Amino acid sequence: MLIKTRGIVLNFIRYRETSIIARVYTERLGLQSYIVNGVRKAKPPGRIALFQPFTMLDLVAYTSRQGGITRLSEFRCAEPFRTLPYDVRKSSIALLLSEITSRVLLEEEENEPMFTFLHDSILAFDRQEEGFENFALTFLLQLSHYLGFGPETGEQITSQVAFAAEVPGGAAGHGPTALRFQEFETYFDALMREPATAAVPNGRVRRELLGVLIRYYQLHVERLGDIRSLSVLSEVLAEL
């Protein structure tokens, strides 16, 4: 059976010589994995670009009562990005967030609020020409509420992380001090209250906050594991 739906690409892996298996969060079916044939061929060029992180697609997909991997009958770009693929800062942020999102979303069923949040947040990020330095932080804070463990205060984040193991992105064996955690609480509170105007002083602090927030996610999502793209984004954040 065929179904039409919008989808948001999370990632893909290579499959055979010219194909991929793409993980796509769809509007009507939730998280799905699709075999997409021939997109890695030299001709026609550029089709693999449609499966970069967070690309918005219109899909015609095969469905199966048994679930599992199916195939795409048709696909096209639904809403072309203006800046995201062309700005290394934005594309690095998208890479990190798509990696986290692909690990925390597992439901193979419709979830309209989740799809709307992802869709609207990504498009707004693409259209921001400046002031997007905190997007990874605000996105993860807001996403956590859709996942069921969203904090109401910064203290809820730091108190849990303070008693946990090493924070990602920190120096080996040296987690934040109690005084530092109190500073983080203030920043997280501001990011939750006024995400558009919250001020984080520099890239180093932004990187520390991201490490704490990822650790908070790891405490709530056992399957999250280590985030491979964090090291890439850490270098980018240092320049923001």
Side-chain angles (χ1 to χ4, degrees):
M1 178 175 138
L2 290 172
I3 187 170
K4 292 183 178 181
T5 183
R6 293 187 296 172
I8 301 169
V9 177
L10 300 181
N11 54 33
F12 71 83
I13 60 173
R14 295 182 178 185
Y15 178 68
R16 297 182 176 173
E17 291 187 5
T18 62
S19 302
I20 62 172
I21 297 176
R23 300 190 71 191
V24 183
Y25 194 75
T26 69
E27 185 173 24
R28 296 183 61 185
L29 302 169
L31 183 65
Q32 297 290 310
S33 294
Y34 297 115
I35 295 175
V36 190
N37 293 321
V39 291
R40 291 168 48 220
K41 291 180 180 178
K43 295 181 180 180
R47 298 182 75 205
I48 193 63
L50 294 177
F51 293 90
Q52 299 308 305
F54 286 162
T55 303
M56 311 281 186
L57 298 178
D58 284 330
L59 308 173
V60 179
Y62 291 97
T63 62
S64 169
R65 292 181 180 178
Q66 289 74 36
I69 299 174
T70 57
R71 294 179 182 271
L72 293 181
S73 173
E74 301 174 25
F75 59 89
R76 67 178 183 86
C77 183
E79 298 177 82
F81 288 135
R82 301 175 186 175
T83 64
L84 200 157
Y86 316 111
D87 185 324
V88 67
R89 300 167 301 171
K90 286 189 172 184
S91 59
S92 298
I93 291 170
L95 179 64
L96 172 83
L97 296 180
S98 66
E99 181 180 354
I100 294 174
T101 303
S102 70
R103 298 190 192 183
V104 300
L105 299 181
L106 295 180
E107 296 81 3
E108 296 183 359
E109 59 185 30
E110 181 179 356
N111 185 335
E112 183 178 351
M114 177 69 80
F115 184 88
T116 300
F117 163 72
L118 294 174
H119 174 274
D120 293 351
S121 297
I122 294 164
L123 283 186
F125 177 49
D126 174 64
R127 291 166 183 171
Q128 273 187 283
E129 295 184 1
E130 57 184 24
F132 56 82
E133 295 87 352
N134 295 331
F135 178 75
L137 295 168
T138 58
F139 178 93
L140 291 175
L141 286 168
Q142 293 166 9
L143 177 62
S144 66
H145 286 274
Y146 289 89
L147 296 170
F149 55 86
E152 297 300 325
T153 66
E155 190 274 336
Q156 291 180 19
I157 300 173
T158 58
S159 63
Q160 293 182 41
V161 173
F163 292 100
E166 182 179 330
V167 173
H174 296 83
T177 64
L179 182 59
R180 199 74 175 128
F181 272 125
Q182 290 179 357
E183 294 179 25
F184 293 161
E185 288 177 23
T186 302
Y187 294 130
F188 281 130
D189 284 337
L191 288 164
M192 286 187 282
R193 285 196 309 266
E194 300 289 343
T197 58
V200 177
N202 54 55
R204 179 181 59 82
V205 174
R206 200 169 285 112
R207 184 173 57 211
E208 291 179 300
L209 292 171
L210 184 60
V212 171
L213 191 51
I214 288 175
R215 185 59 183 143
Y216 177 76
Y217 262 70
Q218 290 170 334
L219 295 174
H220 289 270
V221 185
E222 183 178 354
R223 60 187 172 272
L224 186 60
D226 293 331
I227 305 302
R228 295 187 297 272
S229 55
L230 179 59
S231 59
V232 176
L233 182 58
S234 292
E235 295 179 9
V236 174
L237 288 177
E239 301 175 2
L240 288 174

